[in-house]
Amino acid sequence: MAEASGSNGTRVFTVLVADDNEVAQRLCKRVLEKAGYGVLIAADGLQAVDAALHQKPSMILMDVAMPGIDGLEAMRRIKAEIPAMPIVIASAHSMASDRERFLAAGADNVLSKPFRLADLLSIVQQLASRP
Amino acid sequence: MPGTGPHLSWTRALVRRATPFAAIAAIFAVQALAAAPPVVAFPLYLTVILLVAMQRPRAESIAVSVAAAAAVLLVPAMGGQASDFAPAVLLAAVLVGVAAAMSELTRHSREAAAEARRRLNDVAAADRLLRATLETTTVGLGLADFEGSWTLVNEPLAAILGRRRDDLTRTPLRELIAQSDRPAFDEALGMIRGGDIVRWAADVDQLRPDGSRVPVAIHIARVPSSATAEPSLLVQETDISDRKRADALQGCLAAMRQVIAPSLNVESAMPQLLEAFCGYLGWTLAEHWAVDADHGAMRQRNASSLSSPLLEAFVLAGRGLKATSGSGLIGRAWQAGVVAAEEDIEKAVDFERLDAAQGAGLRSAAAFPIVDAGEVTGVVLLMSETARRMSDEEVTTLAAAGVEIGQFIRRAETAQALRRSEADHRAIYERSPIGIARISSGGELLEANPSLLNMLEHDEETMRATTWPDLLRAYDQAASRLQRPPFLAGVSDGSSVQVRASTGGGSWLWLQLTATSIPDSSGAPEHVLVMVEDVTAVRETSDRLAEALDAQREANSNLEKLDRTKSEFLSIVSHEFRTALTGIQGFSELIRDGGLEPDEVRAYGGYIFNDADRVNRLIGDMLDLDRMESGRMTMRTGDVDINEVLSEAISRAAPATVTVEFKSDLDPRLPIVAGDRDRLIQVVSNLVNNAVKYSPEGGTATLASRLEGHFALISVSDTGIGIPPDEIGHVFERFRRVRSGAAQSIPGTGLGLTIVKQIVEMHGGKIWVESAVGHGSSFHFTIPLAPEAANAMHLRHG
């Protein structure tokens, strides 16, 4: 298994960014890497599932509206294999009812787009510091 | 002593028989002793013989005469002198002859006397018989002279006439005849006297001393004159009161039936009935009392005609009275249900209106119930000025009359109710705004009311011949659609069907037919009543209402869809905006926070610009679409040269596009189209941009035009990735960008094709797409030619 790891040999907290929007991909990658996290990219739902199962990221930042299978379906499949995998839904579907819907579907947290960079970092930080 | 009688009589008879012989012997002895000539003794002998001959039977007187003859002959015979003997013989013969003759004479006279005596006896016997007959017969008999004075009357005649015999005898026959019958009597008597007739028979009323009349059958016969008597009249009379009464009762019933039979009106018949009771039965007045509607009391309803103000006062006194069951004469007849009578109302304890009755001189009363089906519905009160005791026959007759009147009243009331109901039905039938038809159980029209004829604008003849059969067929068809039985199979349920029918005036109506079968007395359907209503207006209104409802429902559903689409749209749009803003906000935040390399800043600025541009286009597209869909977009229509538009689109796109080669295949003879040039450019550029966007490097975009009927057909084809079959049907919907595979990175608002479709359709054209994944897509659309161009085309081709 290809575990994502830092250059110093210690295990680096790796975030799988699953988003079909290139701009969003670049933004997250830039922000998270700068904060010292490892970043993996998936451009649609199937890629996300594949990456999650094979590259074992520490957590997943998952968009919902993606070609093929959407983020929620991808999350369901991943959680079926790895129930403990932390998944944060990052979606431009940002009505109150959407938040409830995502949490009910098994999301560990929800990040509404557009987001403040500090919010993104705070959510990731929170999960990274979990025992 | 028992033996003495015959013995004595025998002795007496012997003495009587011996006496003449002794007398003759004595005479002979005296003569012989005196020696007198026989001539001297002869008168003595003759006397004895005469006496015997007159009193004794013939044989005895002969025997006595023979004895006397012998005595006369004895002396001369003993004398022996022939001269003496001859006169003696003569004398003896005389004696015997006298005895014989005398004896015969006596016998004759005796027989004549006996005959006379017998006759007298017979007459006496006949007289006794006649007198006995006269006195014992029930027939009144009397003898009167030609003047009508009685010579003889019997007891029954006196009884019939209510007089003593001697009193009757003093009253001439004519005075006994009631005044009204006297002319007839006088005439008859005159004819008998004149010998024109010998007998006369008639029913007459005779007067009693108390002034009352007695009806009799009188028979007067002329008795011829005799040697001793003048011709006379034999008068025979029979009291026919009973027969008269029976006749009166029968007559009363007959008169009553004559009134009742043809009448169905109680109010007009009742006075006549009351008159009949008075007229036939001799009652002074009659009143009809009937039970109130609430059955609590009886009230006076009618009275017979009245001959005096006092009688009127009596009837008037009864107007306000209420007779209750069980009290008073009326109440008793009511309660008991049988005839009640008071021979003397003064003695009745509960007679109402006693004062008024006495004031009017009324003395007797009777009340009989009017009975219907065992229930007393009224009472007839009869009042009489003369005291009268009702005979059993009269009671029976009145009871029967009460039952007949009761039945009559019921019949009349039923008939009246029936008439009223019939009149009601007739009025409904004639004047109802609803058409009504009576149909036989065989389906033929029997009768159609005026409304129906008016409604269908036909006369009854046409109705019967054609219109009704048509309606019947229409009914059956409608019924079969409703899965109901056909008209003749059973329409007792009063169910309705609606049928279409044409009128005589040629218009069409919607008719609602409601059929109800009317059973006869046995319950079998006798005929069918069909109500026909013109429901055209209702139908049209309801049709319009249904249309309106449908439209409303559709509008509602459209609204709902719109609402759903709108919130869906809002959700998609906000998603699109937020997605675009994610980059703008995130990268601008990075730039703001500083610490970036100049290259980074430039790159992030590019991302920000692109997304901002996209947001701008999105807004523009959305506004365009909104204007088009709400019809607020105005088209500046003019003549447009499609080929020129296509060429310009190529020349505009080509310089910026290095990856795709443009080709054009334009029909140079394509006529001018009618359209908004700017909008058509928008359509073509959108399609061209798509073709470029979805084509890989080295691809080809081809723009073609040609004429298709009265349309210009424009095609924009690419050699791009194509559209998957499951998405091709949705490409013109909003935000339906092809997302799969390589397309996912291609920017766009997702509204472009929706706008294109709207613009084409606003021009009156159509747009469609053909595509194969991996080979490319072709979008085709049509725009109508300009009118003059279309006409030219028409000329050219026509």
Side-chain angles (χ1 to χ4, degrees), chain B residues 725-779:
Chain B
D726 59 328
E727 294 195 19
I728 197 162
H730 300 293
V731 293
F732 297 107
E733 292 177 16
R734 294 177 181 87
F735 304 109
R736 278 289 185 162
R737 285 191 297 155
V738 175
R739 289 174 172 275
S740 57
Q744 51 111 355
S745 56
I746 296 162
T749 63
L751 293 174
L753 284 177
T754 311
I755 291 168
V756 162
K757 184 170 188 274
Q758 281 285 341
I759 293 171
V760 169
E761 288 177 353
M762 280 169 68
H763 280 82
K766 277 191 209 165
I767 185 165
W768 65 100
V769 62
E770 294 164 353
S771 183
V773 175
H775 291 86
S777 308
S778 291
F779 284 85

Side-chain angles (χ1 to χ4, degrees), chain B residues 671-693:
Chain B
I672 302 296
V673 302
D676 183 330
R677 189 168 183 276
D678 292 347
R679 292 293 163 194
L680 289 176
I681 288 173
Q682 189 183 351
V683 168
V684 174
S685 11
N686 209 302
L687 293 175
V688 167
N689 284 343
N690 269 350
V692 171
K693 262 196 294 188

Side-chain angles (χ1 to χ4, degrees), chain B residues 57 85 188 202 247 332 354 544 571 686 780 796:
Chain B
F85 196 65
D247 284 354
R332 276 188 276 137
L354 182 60
R544 273 202 294 277
S571 163
N686 209 302
H780 310 281
R796 205 185 308 162

Side-chain angles (χ1 to χ4, degrees), chain B residues 399-422:
Chain B
V403 172
E404 288 193 30
I405 294 173
Q407 288 169 349
F408 160 65
I409 291 174
R410 202 246 301 261
R411 197 174 67 235
E413 282 171 354
T414 310
Q416 198 175 356
L418 204 66
R419 264 201 312 279
R420 211 177 296 129
S421 133
E422 209 170 72

Side-chain angles (χ1 to χ4, degrees), chain B residues 382-400:
Chain B
L382 301 169
M383 301 295 299
S384 171
E385 283 170 333
T386 54
R388 52 189 288 172
R389 178 190 290 278
M390 306 235 314
S391 67
D392 288 349
E393 289 78 9
E394 190 171 11
V395 169
T396 310
T397 303
L398 292 181

